[in-house]
Amino acid sequence: MDVRRLMIADGSDVVRKVGKRILSGMGFLVSEAQSSLEALVRCEAELPNILIVDAGLDGALDLIGNIRRLPEGASVRIYYCVVQADLKKMMAGKRAGADDFLLKPFDRKILTSVFAGQSMAA
């Protein structure tokens, strides 16, 4: 059983810290990126199993597309993080290659319901 790697790409220190605290507590190995470029560079070095991308991040859609073009990029489960259920944004995220969506601000309950049981690779 491998621990699953999860990356949070978000411009907000607070969001990353809260997410990291909750998800680390669930057994994920969590890394952080505060820009699309940093996220891409880190993903090129070591691809996470799960990537949470904030829709408000500059270049968020490009980041998703770039991850998908990496050699193993298709295997990453990408969550596109939106502030409200904004259909236009969500469709853009889907077209870029996101698998699923997360609503912000996320809290322990939301993260637990979405990611429970995903922290270990079977």
Side-chain angles (χ1 to χ4, degrees):
M1 293 260 271
D2 290 331
V3 171
R4 304 288 298 261
R5 289 188 308 281
L6 184 148
M7 180 186 290
I8 301 172
D10 196 301
S12 160
D13 289 344
V14 174
V15 170
R16 292 196 316 273
K17 294 285 175 282
V18 169
K20 184 172 188 170
R21 190 168 62 237
I22 297 168
L23 291 161
S24 296
M26 291 170 63
F28 286 101
L29 193 62
V30 182
S31 59
E32 303 173 42
Q34 61 181 5
S35 70
S36 293
L37 184 61
E38 184 186 352
L40 184 60
V41 168
R42 284 170 174 250
C43 285
E44 285 171 338
E46 187 178 30
L47 216 52
N49 303 105
I50 298 170
L51 175 64
I52 298 174
V53 179
D54 178 41
L57 203 61
D58 278 343
L61 295 172
D62 290 336
L63 170 62
I64 295 171
N66 287 330
I67 299 297
R68 288 294 181 224
R69 285 189 282 279
L70 292 175
E72 298 290 312
S75 68
V76 181
R77 185 149 182 85
I78 299 178
Y79 288 85
Y80 192 52
C81 220
V82 292
V83 176
Q84 69 261 19
D86 177 335
L87 213 56
K88 255 205 189 103
K89 262 199 176 133
M90 292 165 84
M91 290 313 296
K94 207 62 161 164
R95 278 195 300 273
D99 294 298
D100 216 333
F101 303 98
L102 268 181
L103 283 180
K104 283 177 80 171
F106 43 67
D107 56 24
R108 184 175 300 276
K109 201 168 101 195
I110 292 170
L111 292 177
T112 305
S113 71
V114 173
F115 295 109
Q118 289 190 45
S119 59
M120 289 290 168

